[in-house]
Amino acid sequence: MMRTVYVNGNYVPENEASVSIFDRAFLFADGVYEVTSVLDGKLIDFHGHIARLERSLKELGINYPVDKDALLEIHRELIRKNDLVEGMIYLQVSRGAAADRDFMFPSADVKPTIVLFTQSKSLVKSPAAERGLKVASFPDQRWRRCDIKTVQLLYSSLVKNEAAKKGADDAWLVLDGKVTEGSSNNAYIVDENNTIITRELSNDILHGITRKAILQCAAELDLKVEERAFSIAEAQKAKEAFITSASSFVYPVIEIDGAKIGDGVPGPIAKRLREIYIEANRAAAI
Ligand code: PDD
């Protein structure tokens, strides 16, 4: 289906959408993005994503005044125009297109470029959720401001492809002997006492919107949470492992670097967290 996308104030067919070759996202990866999931044609945790967008823009000094109501209306209009029932909305804001390629930022009159488009995907019924993921580990060679959601995703893309070559579904990144996060998701393990362990918030990981919601779900299930780093060896001995993101919700992890996690099938805690996350967020969607 030909999608209708949004570019700088206009709704256009995807094959007519264009941005300048001098756009700084294209030349310097000088842009930030958000991915918001859609269930039943409604947005999941929209305000969380917009708050993180504002933070990313502020950290990079991109002068895009976020108008939450206007952005909500654009998201909703794209859902309507594309009859999107389930999937994601991708939003990207770059520092804009200067007159030429220049490492120095353009003058203040250069307007940021804003692009949004829909992606249809079955999020609730998911083979990956039922089967569980195999992950392979790689050194975390990203820049050290992973808390900013920039479009600079080359390393994440490289390791995901390397993981596929090894027969794995995704990559977990390791910094100084400890897992930071997945290529495009946050990483968790569950120990023998059913404690959920996930790396603490810092510049080394993206502060996942789904992560925050899942830790709340864990509290509702009276599960203990430890926010600390863990190694691949500790993960391989864990009872369960899983990942979270807006485009996966919760996916169990069943194998890490060839070692089976638990019985090598999706664990009950990951399954339960996925169920209650979907239930609660479906009800709260706007
Ligand atoms: N990725 N860590 C990284 C590196 C990510 O790219 C993402 C999201 C997450 C999870 O964040 P959230 O729960 O807010 O989606 C963690 C998105 C989905 C993507 O790049 O497609």
Side-chain angles (χ1 to χ4, degrees):
M1 188 187 104
M2 174 85 73
R3 281 172 289 189
T4 297
V5 303
Y6 178 92
V7 186
N8 294 330
N10 301 306
Y11 294 92
V12 289
E14 63 183 32
N15 62 345
E16 288 171 27
S18 67
V19 293
S20 164
I21 64 157
F22 297 113
D23 194 274
R24 290 185 57 90
F26 181 59
L27 296 176
F28 296 102
D30 188 359
V32 298
Y33 75 107
E34 280 299 327
V35 176
T36 305
S37 46
V38 172
L39 279 187
D40 313 319
K42 290 182 181 169
L43 297 154
I44 304 290
D45 228 330
F46 174 78
H47 293 291
H49 286 283
I50 296 305
R52 187 173 61 190
L53 172 70
E54 276 191 293
R55 180 180 181 276
S56 296
L57 290 164
K58 188 164 157 274
E59 290 299 311
L60 296 183
I62 295 177
N63 184 22
Y64 177 79
V66 169
D67 179 338
K68 292 188 186 81
D69 294 337
L71 285 180
L72 179 58
E73 190 41 43
I74 297 167
H75 279 73
R76 285 179 165 161
E77 189 62 21
L78 281 179
I79 290 172
R80 278 194 290 271
K81 285 189 187 301
N82 294 288
D83 296 320
L84 183 66
V85 180
E86 204 165 308
M88 290 90 71
I89 299 199
Y90 177 89
L91 171 161
Q92 176 173 318
V93 180
S94 83
R95 203 182 302 271
D100 201 351
R101 179 174 182 266
D102 188 345
F103 280 76
M104 290 302 287
F105 293 160
S107 58
D109 58 323
V110 169
K111 283 208 171 65
T113 303
I114 173 155
V115 169
L116 286 92
F117 57 82
T118 54
Q119 292 185 295
S120 182
K121 182 183 176 189
S122 175
L123 296 173
V124 175
K125 278 207 168 83
S126 151
E130 270 157 43
R131 179 182 74 224
L133 302 182
K134 295 177 182 175
V135 302
S137 67
F138 293 86
D140 191 338
Q141 292 175 352
R142 300 173 301 169
W143 80 326
R144 296 267 57 85
R145 286 304 306 274
C146 298
D147 57 312
I148 309 173
K149 200 163 171 62
T150 76
V151 298
Q152 192 197 132
L153 296 170
L154 178 57
Y155 190 70
S156 307
S157 176
L158 277 172
V159 290
K160 203 158 182 144
N161 281 276
E162 288 305 312
K165 281 187 204 161
K166 293 183 172 192
D169 303 291
D170 203 356
W172 275 15
L173 301 170
V174 176
L175 183 69
D176 299 331
K178 300 283 167 69
V179 173
T180 50
E181 57 186 336
S183 65
S184 60
N185 41 67
N186 292 116
Y188 308 73
I189 56 172
V190 181
D191 76 6
E192 67 282 1
N193 303 316
N194 291 341
T195 301
I196 294 171
I197 301 160
T198 192
R199 197 177 176 105
E200 71 281 4
L201 296 180
S202 72
N203 291 354
D204 292 331
I205 63 168
L206 187 74
H207 302 187
I209 303 303
T210 321
R211 177 187 184 279
K212 190 174 175 191
I214 283 296
L215 295 187
Q216 277 163 10
C217 294
E220 280 157 31
L221 291 178
D222 283 329
L223 294 167
K224 277 198 271 48
V225 174
E226 265 179 43
E227 293 184 63
R228 64 162 174 86
F230 56 85
S231 66
I232 290 292
E234 186 180 0
Q236 287 174 323
K237 282 187 241 117
K239 211 164 142 185
E240 287 187 37
F242 61 93
I243 58 150
T244 66
S245 75
S247 53
S248 62
F249 299 156
V250 180
Y251 283 168
V253 168
I254 54 165
E255 198 178 296
I256 303 173
D257 286 342
K260 278 199 172 76
I261 306 307
D263 302 328
V265 292
I269 291 182
K271 270 193 189 162
R272 186 75 192 109
L273 285 171
R274 180 177 170 86
E275 282 164 10
I276 69 165
Y277 173 86
I278 291 173
E279 198 180 295
N281 284 278
R282 177 165 248 160
I286 61 166

